[in-house]
Amino acid sequence: MKDWFEFIKEIEAKKREIKCSTSGCWYRGAANYEHGLVPKLIWKKRKPDTEENLYRGYLRTRMADHSRNSWFTLVDMQHYGTATRLLDWSECFAVALYFAITSKDKTHPVIWLLNPFTLACRARGSNDKSIGDFHIDKEMDYHERFLKKKNWPFKYAMPFYAPTPNERIHAQRGFFTVHGNDERSIHETAEKHIRSVSIPDTIHAEALQFLRLAGIDHDFLFPDHEGWLKKIEEDYFYH
């Protein structure tokens, strides 16, 4: 039976396996291991023009800022729960742990670990380990590459230094991977750069205590009106 300390040791061991034991590791907490690492746009059944229609539909809403480039718009869509080809990651282990164990739908909670630098090399097919900063590169505009010309150059998922247009991404120390032309889960297409650690029920109480001591809660991770109201609701109805 795995205890909290064994769980932490396993996290550290997996980080060493993907060569990011001291720094640079990205984490993703998920409620169910079986879902893999596939963005909502990919795993949901969709029509051929779904991605473009979602993008254009978002631009027609009051939330859209037409002065921003298309990557900022895509990140905002992800922020509001729209299906995109992005997956959320964090450089903070505690953030990933929070999302894995507080989901009401958790069945097989897991922490995914990613070395984004070696993943970048995998995507490029070269030794260039730089993380994508597509939002400042006119040649890599999301709308042009994915929706208009359909000539995105990367087959495999690519790590992306996210712009920070909202407080949530900043609070969650967030990054993204952008799914490319291969729609399989990242753990299938880049298994050398990905590891996972299951979170057993036996450490749930200790994990929650760790998060309380670290000050990681809904109010901290969602520092806006929506997040504050959700925190108040949880305080009064679920505890």
Side-chain angles (χ1 to χ4, degrees):
M1 183 179 297
K2 188 188 301 182
D3 64 23
W4 173 253
F5 295 104
E6 290 172 327
F7 171 70
I8 295 299
K9 286 181 180 179
E10 188 173 358
I11 292 287
E12 294 296 338
K14 298 295 185 181
K15 288 173 64 177
R16 288 192 294 272
E17 289 179 14
I18 56 174
K19 298 179 172 59
C20 56
S21 58
T22 56
S23 64
C25 187
W26 288 4
Y27 306 92
R28 176 176 171 82
N32 190 349
Y33 171 84
E34 281 70 26
H35 290 168
L37 294 169
V38 182
K40 187 188 293 187
L41 178 74
I42 306 300
W43 63 258
K44 288 180 73 71
K45 292 182 179 180
R46 65 190 193 277
K47 298 176 182 178
D49 296 329
T50 294
E51 186 171 11
E52 182 171 2
N53 289 336
L54 286 172
Y55 181 83
R56 293 183 180 279
Y58 182 82
L59 288 178
R60 292 194 294 270
T61 70
R62 289 181 295 174
M63 295 181 292
D65 183 346
H66 293 264
S67 67
R68 289 177 170 170
N69 72 31
S70 60
W71 285 107
F72 280 77
T73 299
L74 187 69
V75 168
D76 269 350
M77 291 169 63
Q78 180 80 356
H79 165 73
Y80 286 110
T82 306
T84 76
R85 61 177 55 251
L86 301 179
L87 274 179
D88 301 90
W89 296 82
S90 174
E91 63 180 356
C92 178
F93 162 74
V95 171
L97 181 66
Y98 175 89
F99 286 113
I101 68 172
T102 61
S103 171
K104 296 176 183 177
D105 301 321
K106 65 179 182 296
T107 54
H108 184 172
V110 63
I111 299 291
W112 292 98
L113 301 94
L114 166 67
N115 185 326
F117 305 103
T118 57
L119 184 71
C121 293
R122 162 69 167 161
R124 291 191 177 95
S126 73
N127 292 323
D128 182 355
K129 61 177 65 175
S130 60
I131 308 302
D133 50 6
F134 309 127
H135 56 294
I136 61 174
D137 185 348
K138 292 182 179 179
E139 297 298 318
M140 296 297 288
D141 180 75
Y142 164 74
H143 179 264
E144 287 290 314
R145 288 285 193 165
F146 275 107
L147 306 181
K148 190 175 180 180
K149 297 180 180 177
K150 303 184 186 302
N151 63 350
W152 182 247
F154 304 117
K155 178 179 179 180
Y156 302 114
M158 183 72 183
F160 172 35
Y161 274 132
T164 54
N166 62 64
E167 294 175 316
R168 292 187 185 185
I169 294 174
H170 181 72
Q172 296 169 18
R173 294 167 67 179
F175 297 90
F176 297 101
T177 48
V178 184
H179 238 64
N181 303 315
D182 190 318
E183 297 191 347
R184 290 176 294 167
S185 172
I186 299 174
H187 81 286
E188 296 180 74
T189 61
E191 60 182 352
K192 291 183 179 180
H193 318 292
I194 294 283
R195 292 294 185 274
S196 65
V197 178
S198 296
I199 306 173
D201 292 340
T202 52
I203 69 164
H204 186 82
E206 291 171 294
L208 288 174
Q209 181 182 22
F210 166 77
L211 292 174
R212 284 193 294 269
L213 290 171
I216 303 297
D217 58 18
H218 198 281
D219 196 29
F220 178 83
L221 296 175
F222 298 88
D224 48 34
H225 286 94
E226 183 182 348
W228 181 80
L229 290 171
K230 181 66 173 177
K231 175 63 163 57
I232 294 297
E233 182 180 295
E234 289 180 350
D235 286 344
Y236 283 99
F237 286 98
Y238 302 126
H239 295 293

